[in-house]
Amino acid sequence: MKHLGRHVLAEICGCDFDILNDINRVEEIMVNAALEAGAEVRECVFHKFSPQGVSGVVVISESHLAIHTWPELGYAAVDVFTCGEKVNPWDACNYLTDHFNAKQTTAKEMKRGMMPEVYLGEAVNL
């Protein structure tokens, strides 16, 4: 059975407060993580919360990267969802871990779009 994409869910902990609370730095790091993974960036939307925290999405041709930060806890919840074989979501996660100065990252990968070959146009014996 083939899959359409890979979805990495990452718990990034022990991060630098000042980085996670800076909307411009979070956006820059997220965009660079996408590029580091080999993605083509299309659009970005980020929002700064009061008194702290940032949420955002980087839309890539291959799907998306999303984040929500809790600077006061040094924590970021991150999704990296990629389709196709060109982009490696783990490269993006490793980049984020490094650039948020994280002390620990726990992540798991899920295969998305697990579809029988018949739906992917490879076997059409109906």
Side-chain angles (χ1 to χ4, degrees):
M1 193 170 293
K2 291 194 173 184
H3 63 276
L4 298 175
R6 300 165 66 190
H7 196 163
V8 174
L9 303 173
E11 307 287 314
I12 304 177
C13 304
C15 302
D16 185 299
F17 176 94
D18 292 327
I19 295 172
L20 293 187
N21 202 41
D22 183 330
I23 188 172
N24 295 321
R25 287 183 73 188
V26 171
E27 180 174 354
E28 177 185 8
I29 291 168
M30 290 286 286
V31 167
N32 287 334
L35 295 172
E36 179 75 17
E40 183 178 337
V41 175
R42 293 295 183 170
E43 293 184 52
C44 300
V45 176
F46 282 80
H47 177 79
K48 174 76 168 76
F49 292 96
S50 180
Q52 65 246 344
V54 174
S55 282
V57 177
V58 177
V59 178
I60 58 177
S61 294
E62 302 80 8
S63 194
H64 70 271
L65 288 77
I67 189 168
H68 186 77
T69 73
W70 285 262
E72 70 278 16
L73 301 176
Y75 170 72
V78 174
D79 293 13
V80 180
F81 183 18
T82 64
C83 299
E85 301 299 317
K86 178 184 148 201
V87 179
N88 184 345
W90 290 103
D91 290 343
C93 285
N94 291 333
Y95 185 93
L96 295 171
T97 296
D98 290 344
H99 287 80
F100 290 149
N101 298 330
K103 291 183 177 47
Q104 179 182 359
T105 297
T106 304
K108 70 177 186 172
E109 180 178 333
M110 297 175 53
K111 304 292 189 222
R112 301 299 304 269
M114 297 293 288
M115 312 223 1
E117 283 79 12
V118 67
Y119 294 112
L120 296 175
E122 296 187 11
V124 212
N125 298 330
L126 299 176

